[in-house]
Amino acid sequence: MEGVQDISRSLQGLTRVHEESLEAVAEWQRELLDAAKGINKTLLYLADSVADTRPHD
């Protein structure tokens, strides 16, 4: 019985660590997505600025 309880505690700990890891990865993905959106917005702004400064034929 003691062995079963040890295994159960170990599995609970593993589950908790895995859930925390998933939460951390999800947060990093949100931050990466926000950064990518910011970079994209800046690049679009720069492209528009360059297009506006080119001489028109």
Side-chain angles (χ1 to χ4, degrees):
M1 186 64 167
E2 190 175 316
V4 172
Q5 289 174 338
D6 288 344
I7 292 171
S8 177
R9 282 191 292 271
S10 294
L11 287 174
Q12 287 173 347
L14 179 62
T15 300
R16 185 173 45 256
V17 168
H18 185 67
E19 287 173 346
E20 290 169 0
S21 295
L22 286 175
E23 290 170 6
V25 168
E27 178 63 27
W28 295 333
Q29 286 179 332
R30 284 188 291 272
E31 290 173 5
L32 180 59
L33 180 60
D34 289 344
K37 287 178 179 180
I39 291 168
N40 187 50
K41 185 176 179 179
T42 300
L43 289 173
L44 288 171
Y45 173 78
L46 290 172
D48 286 345
S49 295
V50 169
D52 288 343
T53 61
R54 289 187 178 175
H56 300 288
D57 294 330

